[in-house]
Coordinates of all heavy atoms in Angstrom, one line a residue:
M1 N -257.7 -2.1 -152.0 CA -258.4 -2.1 -150.6 C -257.9 -0.9 -149.9 O -256.7 -0.6 -149.7 CB -258.1 -3.4 -149.9 CG -258.8 -3.4 -148.6 SD -258.4 -5.0 -147.9 CE -258.8 -4.7 -146.2
T2 N -258.8 -0.1 -149.4 CA -258.5 1.0 -148.6 C -258.6 0.8 -147.1 O -259.3 0.0 -146.7 CB -259.5 2.3 -148.9 OG1 -260.7 1.9 -148.6 CG2 -259.4 2.8 -150.3
H3 N -257.7 1.5 -146.4 CA -257.7 1.3 -144.9 C -258.9 1.9 -144.3 O -259.3 3.1 -144.7 CB -256.4 1.9 -144.3 CG -256.1 1.3 -143.0 ND1 -256.7 1.9 -141.9 CD2 -255.3 0.3 -142.5 CE1 -256.3 1.2 -140.8 NE2 -255.4 0.3 -141.2
P4 N -259.5 1.4 -143.3 CA -260.8 2.0 -142.7 C -260.5 3.4 -142.0 O -261.3 4.2 -141.9 CB -261.3 1.0 -141.6 CG -260.1 0.0 -141.5 CD -259.2 0.1 -142.7
L5 N -259.2 3.6 -141.6 CA -258.9 4.8 -141.0 C -258.1 5.7 -142.0 O -257.0 5.3 -142.4 CB -258.0 4.7 -139.8 CG -258.7 4.1 -138.5 CD1 -257.7 3.9 -137.4 CD2 -259.8 5.0 -138.0
S6 N -258.7 6.8 -142.4 CA -258.0 7.7 -143.4 C -256.9 8.4 -142.7 O -257.0 8.6 -141.4 CB -259.0 8.5 -144.0 OG -259.4 9.6 -143.1
R7 N -256.0 8.9 -143.4 CA -255.0 9.7 -142.9 C -255.5 11.0 -142.2 O -255.1 11.3 -141.1 CB -254.0 10.1 -144.0 CG -252.8 10.9 -143.5 CD -251.9 11.1 -144.7 NE -251.0 12.2 -144.3 CZ -249.8 12.3 -144.9 NH1 -249.5 11.5 -145.9 NH2 -249.0 13.2 -144.4
R8 N -256.6 11.5 -142.8 CA -257.2 12.7 -142.2 C -257.8 12.4 -140.9 O -257.7 13.2 -139.9 CB -258.3 13.2 -143.2 CG -259.1 14.4 -142.6 CD -260.0 14.9 -143.6 NE -259.2 15.7 -144.5 CZ -259.8 16.7 -145.3 NH1 -261.1 16.8 -145.3 NH2 -259.1 17.4 -146.1
T9 N -258.4 11.3 -140.7 CA -259.1 10.8 -139.4 C -258.0 10.7 -138.4 O -258.2 11.1 -137.2 CB -259.9 9.5 -139.6 OG1 -260.9 9.7 -140.6 CG2 -260.5 9.1 -138.3
V10 N -256.9 10.1 -138.7 CA -255.8 9.8 -137.8 C -255.3 11.2 -137.3 O -255.1 11.4 -136.1 CB -254.8 8.9 -138.3 CG1 -253.5 8.9 -137.5 CG2 -255.3 7.5 -138.5
V11 N -255.0 12.1 -138.2 CA -254.5 13.4 -137.9 C -255.5 14.2 -137.0 O -255.1 14.7 -135.9 CB -254.1 14.2 -139.1 CG1 -253.8 15.7 -138.8 CG2 -253.0 13.6 -139.8
K12 N -256.8 14.1 -137.3 CA -257.8 14.8 -136.5 C -257.8 14.3 -135.1 O -257.8 15.0 -134.0 CB -259.2 14.6 -137.1 CG -259.5 15.7 -138.1 CD -261.0 15.4 -138.5 CE -261.5 16.4 -139.5 NZ -262.9 16.0 -139.9
S13 N -257.7 13.0 -134.9 CA -257.7 12.4 -133.6 C -256.5 12.8 -132.8 O -256.6 13.1 -131.6 CB -257.7 10.8 -133.8 OG -258.9 10.4 -134.4
L14 N -255.4 12.8 -133.4 CA -254.1 13.3 -132.7 C -254.3 14.7 -132.2 O -253.8 15.0 -131.1 CB -252.9 13.0 -133.7 CG -252.5 11.6 -133.8 CD1 -251.4 11.5 -134.8 CD2 -252.1 11.0 -132.6
V15 N -254.8 15.5 -133.1 CA -255.0 16.9 -132.7 C -255.9 17.0 -131.4 O -255.6 17.7 -130.5 CB -255.6 17.8 -133.9 CG1 -256.0 19.2 -133.3 CG2 -254.5 17.9 -135.0
W16 N -257.0 16.3 -131.4 CA -258.0 16.3 -130.4 C -257.3 15.8 -129.0 O -257.4 16.4 -127.9 CB -259.2 15.5 -130.6 CG -260.2 16.4 -131.4 CD1 -260.5 16.2 -132.7 CD2 -260.9 17.5 -131.0 NE1 -261.4 17.1 -133.1 CE2 -261.7 18.0 -132.1 CE3 -261.0 18.2 -129.7 CZ2 -262.5 19.1 -132.0 CZ3 -261.8 19.3 -129.7 CH2 -262.6 19.7 -130.8
V17 N -256.5 14.7 -129.2 CA -255.9 14.1 -128.1 C -254.9 15.2 -127.4 O -254.8 15.4 -126.3 CB -255.2 12.8 -128.4 CG1 -254.2 12.3 -127.3 CG2 -256.2 11.8 -128.6
S18 N -254.0 15.8 -128.3 CA -253.1 16.8 -127.9 C -253.7 18.0 -127.2 O -253.3 18.4 -126.1 CB -252.2 17.3 -129.1 OG -251.6 16.2 -129.7
A19 N -254.9 18.4 -127.8 CA -255.5 19.6 -127.2 C -256.1 19.2 -125.8 O -256.0 20.0 -124.9 CB -256.6 20.1 -128.1
G20 N -256.6 18.1 -125.7 CA -257.1 17.7 -124.5 C -256.1 17.5 -123.4 O -256.2 17.9 -122.2
T21 N -254.9 17.0 -123.8 CA -253.8 17.0 -122.8 C -253.3 18.3 -122.4 O -253.2 18.5 -121.2 CB -252.6 16.2 -123.5 OG1 -253.0 14.9 -123.9 CG2 -251.5 16.0 -122.5
V22 N -253.2 19.2 -123.3 CA -252.7 20.6 -123.0 C -253.8 21.3 -122.0 O -253.4 21.8 -120.9 CB -252.5 21.5 -124.2 CG1 -252.4 22.9 -123.9 CG2 -251.3 21.0 -125.0
F23 N -255.0 21.2 -122.4 CA -256.1 21.8 -121.6 C -256.1 21.2 -120.2 O -256.4 21.8 -119.2 CB -257.5 21.9 -122.3 CG -257.4 22.9 -123.4 CD1 -257.7 22.5 -124.7 CD2 -257.0 24.2 -123.1 CE1 -257.7 23.4 -125.7 CE2 -257.0 25.2 -124.2 CZ -257.3 24.7 -125.5
G24 N -256.1 19.9 -120.2 CA -256.1 19.1 -118.9 C -254.9 19.5 -118.0 O -255.2 19.7 -116.8
E25 N -253.7 19.7 -118.6 CA -252.6 20.1 -117.7 C -252.8 21.5 -117.2 O -252.4 21.8 -116.1 CB -251.3 20.0 -118.6 CG -250.9 18.5 -118.8 CD -249.7 18.3 -119.7 OE1 -249.3 19.4 -120.3 OE2 -249.4 17.2 -120.0
R26 N -253.4 22.4 -118.1 CA -253.6 23.7 -117.7 C -254.6 23.8 -116.4 O -254.4 24.5 -115.5 CB -254.1 24.6 -118.8 CG -253.0 25.0 -119.6 CD -253.4 26.3 -120.5 NE -252.4 26.5 -121.4 CZ -252.6 26.9 -122.7 NH1 -253.8 27.0 -123.1 NH2 -251.6 27.1 -123.5
R27 N -255.6 23.0 -116.6 CA -256.6 23.0 -115.5 C -256.0 22.4 -114.2 O -256.2 23.0 -113.2 CB -257.8 22.0 -116.0 CG -259.1 22.3 -115.2 CD -260.2 21.5 -115.7 NE -260.4 21.4 -117.1 CZ -260.5 20.3 -117.9 NH1 -260.4 19.1 -117.3 NH2 -260.6 20.3 -119.2
A28 N -255.2 21.4 -114.3 CA -254.5 20.8 -113.1 C -253.6 21.8 -112.5 O -253.4 21.8 -111.3 CB -253.8 19.5 -113.5
A29 N -252.9 22.6 -113.3 CA -252.0 23.6 -112.8 C -252.6 24.8 -112.2 O -251.9 25.6 -111.5 CB -251.0 23.9 -113.9
A30 N -253.9 25.1 -112.5 CA -254.5 26.2 -112.0 C -254.6 26.3 -110.5 O -255.0 25.3 -109.9 CB -255.9 26.4 -112.6
E31 N -254.1 27.3 -109.9 CA -254.0 27.5 -108.5 C -255.3 28.2 -108.0 O -255.8 29.0 -108.7 CB -252.8 28.2 -108.0 CG -251.6 27.7 -108.5 CD -250.7 27.1 -107.4 OE1 -250.8 27.6 -106.3 OE2 -249.9 26.2 -107.7
P32 N -255.8 27.8 -106.8 CA -256.9 28.6 -106.3 C -256.5 30.1 -106.0 O -255.3 30.3 -105.7 CB -257.3 27.9 -105.0 CG -256.4 26.7 -104.8 CD -255.4 26.8 -105.9
A33 N -257.4 31.0 -106.1 CA -257.1 32.4 -105.9 C -256.7 32.6 -104.4 O -257.2 32.0 -103.5 CB -258.3 33.2 -106.3
K34 N -255.9 33.7 -104.2 CA -255.5 34.1 -102.8 C -256.7 34.8 -102.2 O -257.4 35.6 -102.9 CB -254.3 35.0 -102.8 CG -253.1 34.3 -103.3 CD -252.0 35.3 -103.4 CE -250.7 34.6 -103.9 NZ -249.6 35.5 -104.2
L35 N -257.0 34.6 -101.0 CA -258.1 35.2 -100.3 C -257.7 36.7 -100.2 O -256.6 37.0 -99.6 CB -258.3 34.6 -98.9 CG -259.4 35.3 -98.1 CD1 -260.7 35.1 -98.7 CD2 -259.3 34.7 -96.7
S36 N -258.6 37.6 -100.6 CA -258.4 39.0 -100.5 C -258.9 39.5 -99.1 O -259.9 39.0 -98.6 CB -259.2 39.7 -101.6 OG -259.2 41.1 -101.3
V37 N -258.1 40.4 -98.5 CA -258.5 40.9 -97.2 C -259.9 41.7 -97.4 O -260.5 41.9 -96.3 CB -257.4 41.8 -96.6 CG1 -256.2 40.9 -96.2 CG2 -257.1 42.9 -97.5
S38 N -260.2 42.1 -98.5 CA -261.5 42.8 -98.8 C -262.7 41.9 -99.1 O -263.8 42.4 -99.3 CB -261.3 43.9 -99.9 OG -260.9 43.3 -101.1
D39 N -262.4 40.6 -99.3 CA -263.4 39.6 -99.5 C -264.4 39.7 -98.3 O -263.9 39.7 -97.1 CB -262.8 38.2 -99.5 CG -263.8 37.1 -99.9 OD1 -264.7 36.9 -99.1 OD2 -263.6 36.4 -100.9
P40 N -265.7 39.7 -98.5 CA -266.6 39.9 -97.3 C -266.5 38.8 -96.3 O -266.6 39.1 -95.1 CB -268.0 39.8 -98.0 CG -267.8 40.2 -99.4 CD -266.4 39.8 -99.8
A41 N -266.1 37.6 -96.7 CA -265.9 36.5 -95.7 C -264.7 36.7 -94.9 O -264.6 36.5 -93.7 CB -265.8 35.2 -96.4
A42 N -263.6 37.4 -95.6 CA -262.4 37.7 -94.9 C -262.6 38.8 -93.9 O -262.1 38.7 -92.8 CB -261.3 38.0 -95.9
V43 N -263.4 39.8 -94.4 CA -263.6 41.0 -93.5 C -264.4 40.5 -92.3 O -264.1 40.9 -91.2 CB -264.4 42.0 -94.3 CG1 -264.9 43.2 -93.4 CG2 -263.6 42.6 -95.4
A44 N -265.4 39.6 -92.5 CA -266.2 39.2 -91.3 C -265.4 38.5 -90.2 O -265.7 38.6 -89.1 CB -267.3 38.2 -91.9
L45 N -264.2 37.9 -90.7 CA -263.5 37.1 -89.7 C -262.1 37.9 -89.4 O -261.3 37.3 -88.7 CB -263.2 35.7 -90.1 CG -264.4 34.8 -90.2 CD1 -264.0 33.4 -90.7 CD2 -264.9 34.7 -88.7
G46 N -262.0 39.1 -89.9 CA -260.8 40.0 -89.6 C -259.5 39.3 -90.1 O -258.5 39.6 -89.6
Y47 N -259.6 38.7 -91.3 CA -258.4 38.1 -91.9 C -257.4 39.2 -92.4 O -257.8 40.2 -92.9 CB -258.8 37.2 -93.1 CG -257.6 36.8 -93.9 CD1 -256.8 35.8 -93.5 CD2 -257.3 37.3 -95.2 CE1 -255.7 35.3 -94.3 CE2 -256.2 36.9 -95.9 CZ -255.5 35.9 -95.5 OH -254.4 35.5 -96.2
V48 N -256.2 39.0 -92.0 CA -255.1 39.8 -92.5 C -254.0 38.8 -93.1 O -253.9 37.7 -92.7 CB -254.5 40.6 -91.3 CG1 -255.4 41.8 -90.9 CG2 -254.1 39.7 -90.1
E49 N -253.3 39.5 -94.0 CA -252.2 38.6 -94.7 C -251.0 38.4 -93.8 O -250.3 37.5 -94.0 CB -251.8 39.4 -96.0 CG -252.7 39.2 -97.1 CD -252.2 38.3 -98.2 OE1 -250.9 38.3 -98.5 OE2 -253.0 37.7 -98.8
N50 N -250.9 39.3 -92.8 CA -249.7 39.2 -91.9 C -250.2 39.4 -90.4 O -250.8 40.4 -90.1 CB -248.7 40.2 -92.3 CG -247.4 40.0 -91.5 OD1 -247.4 39.7 -90.3 ND2 -246.3 40.0 -92.3
A51 N -250.0 38.4 -89.7 CA -250.5 38.4 -88.3 C -250.0 39.7 -87.5 O -250.7 40.1 -86.5 CB -250.2 37.1 -87.6
S52 N -249.0 40.3 -87.9 CA -248.5 41.5 -87.2 C -249.4 42.7 -87.3 O -249.4 43.7 -86.7 CB -247.1 41.9 -87.7 OG -247.1 42.3 -89.0
Q53 N -250.4 42.5 -88.3 CA -251.4 43.7 -88.6 C -252.6 43.5 -87.8 O -253.6 44.3 -88.0 CB -251.6 43.7 -90.1 CG -250.4 44.0 -90.9 CD -250.7 43.6 -92.4 OE1 -251.6 42.9 -92.7 NE2 -249.8 44.2 -93.2
V54 N -252.7 42.4 -87.0 CA -254.0 42.2 -86.2 C -254.3 43.3 -85.3 O -253.3 43.8 -84.5 CB -253.9 40.8 -85.5 CG1 -255.2 40.6 -84.6 CG2 -253.8 39.7 -86.4
D55 N -255.5 43.8 -85.3 CA -255.9 44.9 -84.3 C -256.3 44.1 -83.1 O -257.4 43.6 -82.9 CB -257.0 45.7 -84.9 CG -257.5 46.7 -84.0 OD1 -257.1 46.7 -82.8 OD2 -258.3 47.6 -84.5
S56 N -255.4 44.0 -82.1 CA -255.7 43.2 -80.8 C -256.8 43.9 -80.0 O -257.3 43.2 -79.1 CB -254.3 43.0 -80.1 OG -253.7 44.2 -79.8
K57 N -257.0 45.1 -80.2 CA -258.2 45.8 -79.5 C -259.5 45.3 -80.0 O -260.4 45.0 -79.3 CB -258.1 47.3 -79.5 CG -257.0 47.9 -78.7 CD -257.0 49.3 -78.7 CE -255.9 49.8 -77.8 NZ -255.2 51.1 -78.3
K58 N -259.6 45.2 -81.3 CA -260.7 44.7 -82.0 C -260.9 43.1 -81.8 O -262.0 42.6 -81.7 CB -260.7 45.0 -83.5 CG -262.0 44.8 -84.2 CD -261.9 45.3 -85.6 CE -263.2 45.1 -86.3 NZ -263.1 45.6 -87.8
Y59 N -259.7 42.5 -81.8 CA -259.7 41.0 -81.6 C -258.9 40.6 -80.3 O -257.8 40.1 -80.5 CB -259.1 40.3 -82.9 CG -260.0 40.6 -84.1 CD1 -259.6 41.6 -85.0 CD2 -261.2 39.9 -84.3 CE1 -260.4 41.8 -86.1 CE2 -262.0 40.2 -85.3 CZ -261.6 41.1 -86.3 OH -262.4 41.4 -87.3
P60 N -259.5 40.8 -79.2 CA -258.8 40.4 -78.0 C -258.5 39.0 -77.8 O -257.6 38.6 -77.0 CB -259.8 41.0 -76.8 CG -261.1 41.1 -77.5 CD -260.9 41.3 -78.9
N61 N -259.1 38.2 -78.6 CA -258.8 36.7 -78.5 C -257.5 36.4 -79.3 O -257.0 35.2 -79.3 CB -259.9 35.9 -79.1 CG -260.2 36.1 -80.5 OD1 -260.0 37.2 -81.1 ND2 -260.6 35.0 -81.2
Y62 N -256.9 37.4 -79.9 CA -255.6 37.2 -80.7 C -254.5 36.7 -79.7 O -254.3 37.5 -78.7 CB -255.2 38.4 -81.5 CG -253.9 38.4 -82.0 CD1 -253.6 37.5 -83.1 CD2 -252.8 39.2 -81.5 CE1 -252.3 37.4 -83.6 CE2 -251.5 39.0 -82.0 CZ -251.3 38.1 -83.0 OH -250.0 38.0 -83.5
V63 N -253.9 35.7 -80.0 CA -252.8 35.2 -79.2 C -251.5 35.5 -79.9 O -251.3 35.1 -81.0 CB -252.9 33.6 -78.9 CG1 -251.7 33.2 -78.2 CG2 -254.2 33.3 -78.3
K64 N -250.6 36.3 -79.2 CA -249.3 36.7 -79.9 C -248.7 35.4 -80.4 O -248.5 34.4 -79.7 CB -248.5 37.4 -78.9 CG -247.4 38.2 -79.5 CD -246.7 39.1 -78.6 CE -245.5 39.7 -79.2 NZ -245.1 40.8 -79.4
G65 N -248.2 35.5 -81.6 CA -247.5 34.3 -82.2 C -248.4 33.4 -83.0 O -247.9 32.5 -83.7
S66 N -249.7 33.7 -82.9 CA -250.6 32.8 -83.6 C -250.6 33.2 -85.1 O -250.7 34.4 -85.3 CB -252.0 32.8 -83.0 OG -252.5 34.0 -83.0
T67 N -250.6 32.3 -86.0 CA -250.7 32.7 -87.5 C -251.4 31.5 -88.1 O -251.6 30.4 -87.4 CB -249.3 32.7 -88.1 OG1 -248.7 31.4 -88.0 CG2 -248.4 33.7 -87.5
C68 N -251.7 31.6 -89.4 CA -252.3 30.6 -90.1 C -251.5 29.3 -90.0 O -252.0 28.1 -89.9 CB -252.6 30.9 -91.6 SG -253.8 32.2 -91.7
E69 N -250.1 29.5 -90.1 CA -249.3 28.3 -90.1 C -249.4 27.4 -88.9 O -249.2 26.2 -88.9 CB -247.8 28.7 -90.2 CG -246.9 27.6 -90.5 CD -245.8 27.9 -91.5 OE1 -245.2 29.0 -91.3 OE2 -245.5 27.1 -92.3
N70 N -249.8 28.0 -87.7 CA -250.0 27.1 -86.6 C -251.4 27.0 -86.2 O -251.7 26.7 -85.0 CB -249.1 27.6 -85.4 CG -249.3 29.0 -85.0 OD1 -250.4 29.6 -85.2 ND2 -248.3 29.7 -84.5
C71 N -252.3 27.2 -87.2 CA -253.8 27.0 -86.9 C -254.2 25.6 -87.4 O -253.8 25.1 -88.4 CB -254.5 28.0 -87.8 SG -256.3 27.9 -87.7
L72 N -255.0 25.1 -86.6 CA -255.6 23.7 -86.8 C -256.4 23.6 -88.2 O -256.4 22.6 -88.9 CB -256.5 23.3 -85.7 CG -257.1 21.9 -85.7 CD1 -256.0 20.8 -85.6 CD2 -258.1 21.7 -84.6
K73 N -256.9 24.8 -88.6 CA -257.8 24.8 -89.8 C -257.0 25.0 -91.1 O -257.6 24.9 -92.2 CB -258.8 25.9 -89.7 CG -259.7 25.7 -88.5 CD -260.8 26.7 -88.3 CE -261.8 26.2 -87.2 NZ -262.0 27.3 -86.3
L74 N -255.7 25.1 -91.0 CA -254.9 25.3 -92.3 C -254.8 23.9 -92.9 O -254.5 22.9 -92.2 CB -253.6 25.8 -92.0 CG -252.7 26.2 -93.2 CD1 -253.4 27.4 -94.0 CD2 -251.3 26.5 -92.8
E75 N -254.9 23.9 -94.2 CA -254.8 22.5 -94.9 C -253.7 22.7 -95.9 O -253.0 23.7 -96.0 CB -256.1 22.2 -95.6 CG -257.2 22.2 -94.6 CD -258.6 22.1 -95.3 OE1 -258.8 22.5 -96.5 OE2 -259.6 21.6 -94.7
G76 N -253.5 21.7 -96.7 CA -252.5 21.8 -97.8 C -251.2 21.3 -97.5 O -251.0 20.6 -96.4
K77 N -250.2 21.7 -98.3 CA -248.9 21.2 -98.1 C -247.9 22.1 -97.4 O -247.7 23.2 -97.7 CB -248.3 21.0 -99.6 CG -247.1 20.1 -99.7 CD -246.7 19.9 -101.2 CE -246.2 21.1 -101.8 NZ -245.8 21.2 -103.1
P78 N -247.3 21.5 -96.3 CA -246.4 22.4 -95.5 C -245.3 22.9 -96.5 O -244.8 22.2 -97.3 CB -245.8 21.4 -94.5 CG -246.9 20.4 -94.3 CD -247.5 20.2 -95.7
G79 N -244.9 24.1 -96.2 CA -243.8 24.7 -97.0 C -244.3 25.7 -98.1 O -243.6 26.6 -98.5
D80 N -245.7 25.6 -98.4 CA -246.2 26.5 -99.4 C -246.5 27.8 -98.6 O -247.0 27.8 -97.5 CB -247.5 26.0 -100.0 CG -247.2 24.8 -101.0 OD1 -246.0 24.6 -101.3 OD2 -248.2 24.2 -101.4
A81 N -246.4 29.0 -99.3 CA -246.6 30.3 -98.7 C -248.1 30.5 -98.6 O -248.5 31.3 -97.7 CB -245.9 31.4 -99.5
Y82 N -248.9 30.0 -99.5 CA -250.3 30.1 -99.4 C -250.9 28.7 -99.4 O -250.6 27.9 -100.2 CB -250.9 30.9 -100.6 CG -250.6 32.4 -100.5 CD1 -249.3 32.9 -100.8 CD2 -251.6 33.3 -100.0 CE1 -249.1 34.3 -100.6 CE2 -251.3 34.6 -99.8 CZ -250.0 35.1 -100.1 OH -249.7 36.4 -99.9
R83 N -251.9 28.5 -98.6 CA -252.5 27.2 -98.4 C -254.0 27.2 -98.2 O -254.5 28.3 -97.7 CB -251.8 26.4 -97.3 CG -250.4 26.0 -97.6 CD -249.6 25.7 -96.3 NE -250.2 24.5 -95.7 CZ -249.7 24.0 -94.5 NH1 -248.6 24.6 -93.9 NH2 -250.3 23.0 -93.9
P84 N -254.7 26.2 -98.5 CA -256.2 26.2 -98.3 C -256.4 26.2 -96.8 O -255.7 25.8 -96.0 CB -256.6 24.8 -98.9 CG -255.5 24.3 -99.7 CD -254.2 24.9 -99.2
C85 N -257.6 26.8 -96.5 CA -258.1 26.9 -95.1 C -259.5 26.3 -95.1 O -260.3 26.5 -96.0 CB -258.2 28.4 -94.7 SG -259.1 28.6 -93.2
E86 N -259.7 25.6 -94.0 CA -261.1 25.0 -93.9 C -262.2 26.0 -93.9 O -263.3 25.7 -94.2 CB -261.0 24.3 -92.4 CG -262.1 23.4 -92.1 CD -261.9 22.9 -90.7 OE1 -260.9 22.2 -90.4 OE2 -262.8 23.1 -89.9
L87 N -261.9 27.2 -93.5 CA -263.0 28.3 -93.4 C -263.3 29.0 -94.7 O -264.3 29.5 -94.9 CB -262.7 29.3 -92.3 CG -262.7 28.8 -90.9 CD1 -262.5 30.0 -90.0 CD2 -263.9 28.0 -90.5
F88 N -262.3 29.0 -95.6 CA -262.4 29.8 -96.9 C -262.2 28.9 -98.0 O -261.1 28.8 -98.6 CB -261.4 30.9 -96.9 CG -261.5 31.9 -95.7 CD1 -260.6 31.8 -94.6 CD2 -262.5 32.8 -95.7 CE1 -260.7 32.7 -93.6 CE2 -262.6 33.7 -94.6 CZ -261.7 33.7 -93.6
K89 N -263.2 28.1 -98.4 CA -263.2 27.1 -99.4 C -262.9 27.9 -100.8 O -263.2 29.0 -101.0 CB -264.5 26.4 -99.5 CG -264.8 25.5 -98.3 CD -263.7 24.4 -98.3 CE -263.9 23.6 -97.0 NZ -262.7 22.7 -96.7
D90 N -262.1 27.2 -101.6 CA -261.8 27.5 -103.0 C -260.8 28.8 -103.0 O -260.6 29.4 -104.0 CB -263.0 27.9 -103.8 CG -264.0 26.7 -103.8 OD1 -263.5 25.6 -104.0 OD2 -265.2 27.0 -103.8
K91 N -260.3 29.1 -101.8 CA -259.3 30.2 -101.8 C -258.1 29.7 -100.9 O -258.2 28.7 -100.2 CB -259.8 31.4 -101.1 CG -261.0 32.1 -101.7 CD -260.6 33.0 -102.9 CE -261.7 33.5 -103.8 NZ -262.7 34.3 -103.2
V92 N -257.0 30.4 -101.1 CA -255.8 30.0 -100.2 C -255.5 31.2 -99.4 O -255.7 32.4 -99.8 CB -254.6 29.6 -101.1 CG1 -254.8 28.2 -101.7 CG2 -254.2 30.6 -102.1
V93 N -254.9 31.0 -98.2 CA -254.6 32.0 -97.3 C -253.1 32.0 -97.0 O -252.4 31.0 -97.2 CB -255.3 31.8 -95.9 CG1 -256.8 31.9 -96.1 CG2 -254.9 30.6 -95.2
S94 N -252.6 33.2 -96.6 CA -251.2 33.4 -96.4 C -250.8 32.6 -95.1 O -251.5 32.7 -94.1 CB -250.8 34.8 -96.2 OG -249.5 35.0 -95.6
V95 N -249.7 31.8 -95.1 CA -249.3 31.1 -93.9 C -249.0 32.1 -92.7 O -249.0 31.8 -91.6 CB -248.2 30.1 -94.1 CG1 -248.7 29.0 -95.1 CG2 -247.0 30.7 -94.6
N96 N -248.6 33.3 -93.1 CA -248.3 34.4 -92.1 C -249.5 35.1 -91.7 O -249.4 36.1 -90.9 CB -247.3 35.4 -92.7 CG -246.0 34.7 -93.0 OD1 -245.5 33.8 -92.3 ND2 -245.4 35.0 -94.2
G97 N -250.7 34.8 -92.2 CA -251.9 35.5 -91.9 C -252.6 35.1 -90.6 O -252.0 34.3 -89.8
W98 N -253.7 35.6 -90.4 CA -254.5 35.3 -89.2 C -255.9 35.8 -89.4 O -256.2 36.7 -90.2 CB -253.9 36.1 -88.0 CG -254.6 35.8 -86.7 CD1 -254.2 34.8 -85.8 CD2 -255.7 36.4 -86.0 NE1 -255.1 34.8 -84.7 CE2 -256.0 35.8 -84.9 CE3 -256.6 37.5 -86.5 CZ2 -257.0 36.1 -84.0 CZ3 -257.6 37.9 -85.6 CH2 -257.8 37.2 -84.4
C99 N -256.8 35.0 -88.7 CA -258.3 35.5 -88.6 C -258.8 35.1 -87.4 O -258.2 34.3 -86.7 CB -259.1 35.0 -89.9 SG -259.8 33.4 -89.6
S100 N -260.0 35.6 -87.0 CA -260.5 35.3 -85.7 C -261.1 33.8 -85.5 O -261.4 33.4 -84.5 CB -261.7 36.3 -85.4 OG -262.7 36.1 -86.4
G101 N -260.9 33.1 -86.6 CA -261.3 31.7 -86.5 C -260.1 30.8 -86.1 O -260.2 29.6 -86.1
W102 N -258.9 31.5 -85.8 CA -257.7 30.7 -85.5 C -258.0 29.8 -84.3 O -258.7 30.1 -83.3 CB -256.6 31.7 -85.1 CG -255.3 31.0 -84.7 CD1 -254.4 30.6 -85.6 CD2 -254.9 30.6 -83.4 NE1 -253.4 30.0 -85.0 CE2 -253.6 30.0 -83.6 CE3 -255.4 30.7 -82.1 CZ2 -252.9 29.4 -82.5 CZ3 -254.7 30.1 -81.1 CH2 -253.4 29.5 -81.3
T103 N -257.6 28.5 -84.5 CA -257.7 27.5 -83.5 C -256.4 26.8 -83.3 O -255.7 26.4 -84.3 CB -258.7 26.4 -84.0 OG1 -259.9 27.0 -84.3 CG2 -259.0 25.4 -83.0
A104 N -255.9 26.7 -82.1 CA -254.6 26.1 -81.8 C -254.5 24.7 -82.3 O -255.5 23.9 -82.2 CB -254.3 26.2 -80.3
E105 N -253.4 24.4 -82.8 CA -253.1 23.0 -83.3 C -253.1 22.1 -82.0 O -252.6 22.7 -80.9 CB -251.8 22.8 -84.0 CG -251.8 23.5 -85.4 CD -250.4 23.4 -86.1 OE1 -249.4 23.6 -85.4 OE2 -250.4 23.1 -87.2
M106 N -253.4 20.9 -82.1 CA -253.4 20.0 -80.9 C -252.1 19.4 -80.8 O -251.4 19.1 -81.6 CB -254.6 18.9 -81.0 CG -255.9 19.6 -80.9 SD -257.2 18.4 -80.9 CE -258.6 19.4 -81.4
Ligands
SF4_1 FE1 -255.7 31.3 -91.0 FE2 -256.8 29.6 -89.2 FE3 -258.1 31.8 -89.9 FE4 -257.8 29.9 -91.7 S1 -259.0 29.7 -89.8 S2 -257.5 32.1 -92.1 S3 -255.8 29.1 -91.2 S4 -256.1 31.7 -88.8

């Protein structure tokens, strides 16, 4: 009597399960891209990677000391250098950055 699962079938199944695990882990580990200052959406809102670079003549609403880190629209995990922002979906922004969408935390 032969077993319904051949050795070849079992080995193939294990290879597929392993490959799925590896690719699944890679997908989970993929980080969103950092928002580029040259991205049209970033340019439109005057995003800079470091708030010290804000042109306060061009953006008179800039409040000294304001950064992404103390902006209401910053999302994600405190402590990370780059975090998601409500305004720039699928990208992360520098916590030291700033844009004209800055909103004071409550
Ligand atoms: Fe940074 Fe806030 Fe502008 Fe988002 S909305 S880029 S968190 S200042």
